[in-house]
Amino acid sequence: MPETTRACLDELPPHVAGSLERLRQVILQTLEDDPAISQPIETLKWGEIAFVPTARSGGTTLRIAWKKKKPDFVGLFFHCGTNVSEQIHQFVPEECELDGRRGVLFPLAKPLPEAAIKMIAALVLTYRRR
């Protein structure tokens, strides 16, 4: 785990950090399982853990974060100028919320919907190839 990611998680309440760490693990598993996705660079963007695609992957940045204004959720966030939010409706479970055109929020009180997260992550990280 990159030091910047660890530092970001260490600043969060433990239950939130645990959920974000699991969300990160699901994304990393998606990268392992799908050879069509080029390995992105893991860094911080706007103080949030971000997976920035390489040029050849054809994707857009995927961020994971917890927002104080929605304290009962963790989320996957993507560039709002894309049509990703329109493409992911079929993958978003009922208990989750769309955050406008920029993300999907997952309730902390429920298990993460890993299959949906994998589909969304793959779509975001290969966005320009579609």
Side-chain angles (χ1 to χ4, degrees), residues 15-109:
H15 71 289
V16 172
S19 288
L20 280 182
E21 194 160 347
R22 182 65 196 138
L23 190 53
R24 178 183 174 271
Q25 290 170 354
V26 173
I27 293 167
L28 293 175
Q29 186 64 54
T30 303
L31 298 173
E32 274 185 42
D33 293 347
D34 190 342
I37 305 172
S38 298
Q39 187 69 35
I41 298 164
E42 185 175 349
T43 188
L44 294 184
K45 273 191 138 182
W46 303 292
E48 299 169 351
I49 299 165
F51 297 89
V52 180
T54 59
R56 69 170 228 228
S57 73
T60 189
T61 300
L62 177 66
R63 293 176 290 115
I64 60 174
W66 173 75
K67 311 272 187 181
K68 287 183 181 179
K69 62 184 173 186
K70 287 280 200 169
D72 297 329
F73 295 87
V74 292
L76 286 176
F77 299 92
F78 37 83
H79 189 282
C80 62
T82 66
N83 69 352
V84 169
S85 63
E86 297 160 17
Q87 295 179 32
I88 64 170
H89 279 102
Q90 61 189 327
F91 308 121
V92 179
E94 272 183 24
E95 67 270 10
C96 302
E97 292 183 14
L98 286 175
D99 187 14
R101 293 182 46 89
R102 67 187 196 115
V104 181
L105 302 173
F106 306 101
L108 285 168

Side-chain angles (χ1 to χ4, degrees), residues 6-13 17 47 66:
R6 173 55 46 212
C8 181
L9 292 172
D10 287 346
E11 293 177 8
L12 298 170
W66 173 75

